Amino acid sequence: MPQWNCNCPNCRAARKSGNFLSQSSAAVSADGKAWLLLNASPDLVTQFAAFPLLTPRGRHLRGSAVQAVVLTDGELDHTIGLLSLREQKELRLVCTRAVKTLLTAEFPLLPTLGKYCHIRHSVFPATLAGLRVTALEQPTDKAPPYSRRPARRGEVAGLRLASLKTRRSCVYLPGLPAITPVLDRFVSGCDCLIVDGTFWSETEMNALGLSRRSARDMGHVPVGGPGGSLEWLRRLDIPRKIYTHINNSNPMLQKHSPAQRAVLRAGVEISRDGQTIRL
Ligand SMILES: [Zn+2]
């Protein structure tokens, strides 16, 4: 936010205040030295530049503290940044087989990137950078718009990342197509839950005249209302709960709006660029 071609109230306010929000991505580390990148956003280059711990160190001319990139899905806003990582010799990539198929057969990002650097792919569970990464394949019938095929199992995953040393864990769910009992078990006992806050309401994009599709049509449970994710978060006994992946149309981004107040009152945080979470 602001989206380059958007004149909605939130984008106008962001241009005025300078409080910009880049696209959703996160880096996680067990020791502050070796990092995993969770999704590769189109804003990756500026996100890296703003976070000194990812700066190359040591005597080598080239290098990165990022040991691997872990993908939750094959959507453009989570994968386009991979192209900006082409300057390294080898890219370690962790994603489901279904996501790898999307990025090979439907949107040939990996074959293209493979011409620039060697791609070493592995699936879940994975142990990397002192972290155990497990995935939950979430039920979805929404394939990415570029795909010619109906959605398949494994195209949207939630991640649970646990430190091998401290056992502290975080669940990363930037896409929330449904709230299920299996998901409840997956998040149970974690220290921090970072979750999809794309839309406030089912009809938010329709009301602004931006889309005819509803939030759930686009694969996102909305935050507000009955059956929304805020209702779900309220009943979860998890110390830190944080919304991420928030669309520029979402009223909870407006300071002191009823939507923002409802989220904060429920003890849920609204993520911001550069936010550090220590567990
Ligand atoms: Zn906007």
Side-chain angles (χ1 to χ4, degrees):
M1 184 175 75
Q3 182 177 308
W4 65 280
N5 63 346
C6 188
N7 201 22
C8 80
N10 283 358
C11 289
R12 280 204 306 269
R15 284 188 193 97
K16 211 168 158 189
S17 69
N19 290 331
F20 293 180
L21 265 185
S22 63
Q23 297 180 68
S24 103
S25 185
V28 60
S29 176
D31 62 3
K33 291 181 187 126
W35 292 81
L36 298 182
L37 184 67
L38 310 183
N39 292 329
S41 94
D43 299 323
L44 178 147
V45 172
T46 46
Q47 289 168 334
F48 270 50
F51 190 58
L53 289 176
L54 296 185
T55 305
R57 279 160 210 281
R59 285 173 289 129
H60 298 289
L61 187 60
R62 294 273 165 85
S64 174
V66 175
Q67 311 274 296
V69 181
V70 186
L71 300 178
T72 58
D73 54 65
E75 293 290 345
L76 296 193
D77 63 344
H78 290 157
T79 58
I80 281 182
L82 288 172
L83 295 171
S84 297
L85 299 176
R86 67 191 176 280
E87 292 97 348
Q88 61 195 327
K89 280 201 178 113
E90 183 180 271
L91 170 72
R92 183 111 198 243
L93 186 68
V94 186
C95 64
T96 63
R97 280 192 188 87
V99 167
K100 187 179 179 227
T101 301
L102 277 177
L103 297 177
T104 304
E106 300 299 314
F107 168 45
L109 185 146
L110 295 180
T112 306
L113 187 60
K115 305 284 182 207
Y116 297 81
C117 69
H118 176 66
I119 300 168
R120 190 147 60 103
H121 171 253
S122 52
V123 293
F124 302 104
T127 303
L128 289 153
L131 295 157
R132 176 79 172 161
V133 188
T134 49
L136 175 73
E137 296 184 349
Q138 295 175 269
T140 180
D141 52 3
K142 308 287 178 288
Y146 60 70
S147 180
R148 297 157 296 179
R149 293 192 301 206
R152 290 196 298 191
R153 198 180 161 75
E155 288 187 0
V156 181
L159 306 177
R160 184 158 177 148
L161 305 115
S163 163
L164 297 177
K165 212 196 255 173
T166 66
R167 304 278 159 195
R168 299 256 170 175
S169 63
C170 172
V171 171
Y172 190 61
L173 291 173
L176 183 67
I179 295 166
T180 62
V182 183
L183 183 63
D184 271 339
R185 286 196 291 279
F186 187 71
V187 305
S188 170
C190 74
D191 299 284
C192 177
L193 172 59
I194 303 174
V195 64
D196 180 357
T198 307
F199 299 117
W200 174 261
S201 71
E202 194 68 82
T203 55
E204 172 180 321
M205 296 290 271
N206 326 104
L208 285 166
L210 296 174
S211 173
R212 288 188 184 170
R213 299 166 74 206
S214 72
R216 279 187 175 82
D217 273 346
M218 288 187 262
H220 302 282
V221 171
V223 173
S229 61
L230 191 59
E231 194 181 87
W232 176 56
L233 294 180
R234 273 199 201 101
R235 67 175 164 82
L236 294 179
D237 184 21
I238 293 172
R240 286 191 77 176
K241 296 171 266 193
I242 306 171
Y243 276 118
T244 188
H245 197 278
I246 306 163
N247 196 56
N248 56 64
S249 58
N250 191 324
M252 74 185 188
L253 289 172
Q254 284 160 28
K255 251 188 182 172
H256 312 304
S257 65
Q260 187 178 84
R261 281 207 297 266
V263 171
L264 300 180
R265 242 195 339 260
V268 180
E269 299 169 57
I270 296 169
S271 65
R272 55 187 188 276
D273 267 37
Q275 182 170 8
T276 304
I277 302 154
R278 285 177 204 275
L279 300 176

Short mmCIF file of all heavy atoms in Angstrom, two decimals, residues 15-41:
data_model
loop_
_atom_site.label_atom_id
_atom_site.label_comp_id
_atom_site.label_asym_id
_atom_site.label_seq_id
_atom_site.Cartn_x
_atom_site.Cartn_y
_atom_site.Cartn_z
N ARG A 15 -0.25 7.55 0.71
CA ARG A 15 0.59 8.48 -0.05
C ARG A 15 0.81 9.77 0.74
O ARG A 15 1.89 10.35 0.72
CB ARG A 15 -0.07 8.81 -1.40
CG ARG A 15 0.07 7.66 -2.40
CD ARG A 15 -0.40 8.05 -3.81
NE ARG A 15 -0.50 6.82 -4.59
CZ ARG A 15 -1.64 6.14 -4.78
NH1 ARG A 15 -2.79 6.58 -4.27
NH2 ARG A 15 -1.62 5.01 -5.46
N LYS A 16 -0.24 10.19 1.46
CA LYS A 16 -0.15 11.43 2.22
C LYS A 16 0.77 11.28 3.43
O LYS A 16 1.60 12.13 3.72
CB LYS A 16 -1.58 11.81 2.69
CG LYS A 16 -1.80 13.28 2.81
CD LYS A 16 -3.28 13.55 2.99
CE LYS A 16 -3.50 14.90 3.64
NZ LYS A 16 -4.91 15.08 4.01
N SER A 17 0.64 10.15 4.13
CA SER A 17 1.39 9.97 5.39
C SER A 17 2.78 9.38 5.16
O SER A 17 3.66 9.50 6.02
CB SER A 17 0.62 9.03 6.32
OG SER A 17 0.62 7.71 5.76
N GLY A 18 2.98 8.71 4.03
CA GLY A 18 4.26 8.03 3.81
C GLY A 18 4.35 6.69 4.52
O GLY A 18 5.39 6.04 4.52
N ASN A 19 3.26 6.27 5.17
CA ASN A 19 3.24 4.95 5.83
C ASN A 19 2.91 3.87 4.81
O ASN A 19 1.75 3.50 4.63
CB ASN A 19 2.20 4.93 6.96
CG ASN A 19 2.63 5.79 8.12
OD1 ASN A 19 3.83 5.97 8.36
ND2 ASN A 19 1.67 6.34 8.82
N PHE A 20 3.93 3.38 4.14
CA PHE A 20 3.73 2.39 3.09
C PHE A 20 3.79 0.99 3.68
O PHE A 20 4.41 0.75 4.71
CB PHE A 20 4.81 2.51 2.01
CG PHE A 20 4.75 3.80 1.21
CD1 PHE A 20 5.67 4.04 0.21
CD2 PHE A 20 3.77 4.75 1.45
CE1 PHE A 20 5.63 5.22 -0.53
CE2 PHE A 20 3.71 5.93 0.72
CZ PHE A 20 4.65 6.16 -0.28
N LEU A 21 3.11 0.08 3.00
CA LEU A 21 3.15 -1.34 3.38
C LEU A 21 3.62 -2.12 2.17
O LEU A 21 3.01 -2.03 1.10
CB LEU A 21 1.74 -1.82 3.72
CG LEU A 21 1.24 -1.83 5.16
CD1 LEU A 21 -0.14 -2.47 5.19
CD2 LEU A 21 2.20 -2.56 6.08
N SER A 22 4.69 -2.90 2.33
CA SER A 22 5.13 -3.71 1.19
C SER A 22 4.38 -5.05 1.21
O SER A 22 3.63 -5.34 2.13
CB SER A 22 6.64 -3.90 1.22
OG SER A 22 7.03 -4.60 2.37
N GLN A 23 4.60 -5.86 0.19
CA GLN A 23 3.82 -7.08 0.05
C GLN A 23 4.34 -8.18 0.99
O GLN A 23 5.50 -8.18 1.38
CB GLN A 23 3.82 -7.52 -1.41
CG GLN A 23 3.12 -6.45 -2.26
CD GLN A 23 3.07 -6.80 -3.73
OE1 GLN A 23 2.41 -7.71 -4.15
NE2 GLN A 23 3.81 -6.05 -4.51
N SER A 24 3.46 -9.11 1.34
CA SER A 24 3.75 -9.97 2.49
C SER A 24 4.85 -10.98 2.24
O SER A 24 4.91 -11.65 1.21
CB SER A 24 2.46 -10.66 2.96
OG SER A 24 2.41 -11.99 2.55
N SER A 25 5.74 -11.04 3.21
CA SER A 25 6.89 -11.94 3.19
C SER A 25 7.47 -11.87 4.60
O SER A 25 7.23 -10.90 5.32
CB SER A 25 7.91 -11.46 2.17
OG SER A 25 8.97 -12.38 2.05
N ALA A 26 8.23 -12.89 5.01
CA ALA A 26 8.85 -12.86 6.33
C ALA A 26 10.15 -13.64 6.28
O ALA A 26 10.33 -14.50 5.42
CB ALA A 26 7.91 -13.45 7.37
N ALA A 27 11.06 -13.31 7.19
CA ALA A 27 12.28 -14.10 7.34
C ALA A 27 12.31 -14.61 8.77
O ALA A 27 11.92 -13.90 9.70
CB ALA A 27 13.51 -13.23 7.06
N VAL A 28 12.74 -15.86 8.94
CA VAL A 28 12.73 -16.46 10.28
C VAL A 28 14.08 -17.12 10.55
O VAL A 28 14.71 -17.66 9.65
CB VAL A 28 11.54 -17.44 10.42
CG1 VAL A 28 11.61 -18.55 9.40
CG2 VAL A 28 11.46 -18.03 11.81
N SER A 29 14.51 -17.02 11.80
CA SER A 29 15.82 -17.55 12.17
C SER A 29 15.79 -18.09 13.59
O SER A 29 15.09 -17.55 14.45
CB SER A 29 16.86 -16.42 12.06
OG SER A 29 18.12 -16.89 12.50
N ALA A 30 16.58 -19.13 13.83
CA ALA A 30 16.71 -19.67 15.19
C ALA A 30 17.86 -19.02 15.94
O ALA A 30 17.87 -18.98 17.16
CB ALA A 30 16.90 -21.19 15.13
N ASP A 31 18.86 -18.50 15.19
CA ASP A 31 20.05 -17.97 15.85
C ASP A 31 20.44 -16.55 15.39
O ASP A 31 21.46 -16.02 15.82
CB ASP A 31 21.24 -18.92 15.62
CG ASP A 31 21.59 -19.07 14.13
OD1 ASP A 31 20.95 -18.39 13.29
OD2 ASP A 31 22.49 -19.86 13.81
N GLY A 32 19.64 -15.96 14.51
CA GLY A 32 19.94 -14.61 14.02
C GLY A 32 21.00 -14.59 12.93
O GLY A 32 21.35 -13.53 12.42
N LYS A 33 21.53 -15.78 12.59
CA LYS A 33 22.58 -15.84 11.55
C LYS A 33 22.07 -16.52 10.29
O LYS A 33 22.22 -16.01 9.19
CB LYS A 33 23.79 -16.58 12.09
CG LYS A 33 24.51 -15.80 13.18
CD LYS A 33 25.73 -16.56 13.69
CE LYS A 33 26.33 -15.84 14.88
NZ LYS A 33 26.46 -16.71 16.05
N ALA A 34 21.49 -17.70 10.43
CA ALA A 34 20.95 -18.42 9.29
C ALA A 34 19.44 -18.17 9.22
O ALA A 34 18.73 -18.28 10.22
CB ALA A 34 21.23 -19.92 9.44
N TRP A 35 18.97 -17.83 8.03
CA TRP A 35 17.57 -17.41 7.88
C TRP A 35 16.85 -18.23 6.82
O TRP A 35 17.46 -18.69 5.85
CB TRP A 35 17.51 -15.93 7.47
CG TRP A 35 17.98 -15.03 8.57
CD1 TRP A 35 19.27 -14.73 8.88
CD2 TRP A 35 17.16 -14.32 9.51
NE1 TRP A 35 19.32 -13.89 9.96
CE2 TRP A 35 18.04 -13.62 10.37
CE3 TRP A 35 15.79 -14.22 9.71
CZ2 TRP A 35 17.57 -12.82 11.42
CZ3 TRP A 35 15.32 -13.42 10.75
CH2 TRP A 35 16.21 -12.74 11.58
N LEU A 36 15.55 -18.36 7.04
CA LEU A 36 14.67 -18.91 6.00
C LEU A 36 13.77 -17.78 5.55
O LEU A 36 13.23 -17.04 6.38
CB LEU A 36 13.80 -20.04 6.54
CG LEU A 36 14.50 -21.30 7.06
CD1 LEU A 36 13.46 -22.31 7.51
CD2 LEU A 36 15.41 -21.88 6.00
N LEU A 37 13.57 -17.67 4.26
CA LEU A 37 12.66 -16.66 3.72
C LEU A 37 11.32 -17.33 3.46
O LEU A 37 11.27 -18.38 2.80
CB LEU A 37 13.25 -16.09 2.43
CG LEU A 37 12.47 -14.95 1.79
CD1 LEU A 37 12.52 -13.70 2.68
CD2 LEU A 37 13.05 -14.61 0.42
N LEU A 38 10.26 -16.76 4.03
CA LEU A 38 8.93 -17.33 3.83
C LEU A 38 8.23 -16.53 2.73
O LEU A 38 7.87 -15.37 2.94
CB LEU A 38 8.12 -17.27 5.13
CG LEU A 38 8.82 -17.82 6.39
CD1 LEU A 38 7.88 -17.77 7.59
CD2 LEU A 38 9.32 -19.24 6.16
N ASN A 39 8.13 -17.09 1.59
CA ASN A 39 7.59 -16.48 0.38
C ASN A 39 8.51 -15.36 -0.14
O ASN A 39 9.24 -14.74 0.62
CB ASN A 39 6.15 -15.97 0.57
CG ASN A 39 5.19 -17.13 0.76
OD1 ASN A 39 5.40 -18.21 0.22
ND2 ASN A 39 4.13 -16.91 1.53
N ALA A 40 8.48 -15.19 -1.45
CA ALA A 40 9.37 -14.22 -2.10
C ALA A 40 8.49 -13.18 -2.78
O ALA A 40 7.98 -13.38 -3.88
CB ALA A 40 10.25 -14.94 -3.12
N SER A 41 8.31 -12.04 -2.09
CA SER A 41 7.37 -11.03 -2.59
C SER A 41 8.01 -10.21 -3.72
O SER A 41 9.23 -10.16 -3.85
CB SER A 41 6.95 -10.10 -1.45
OG SER A 41 7.78 -8.96 -1.41
#
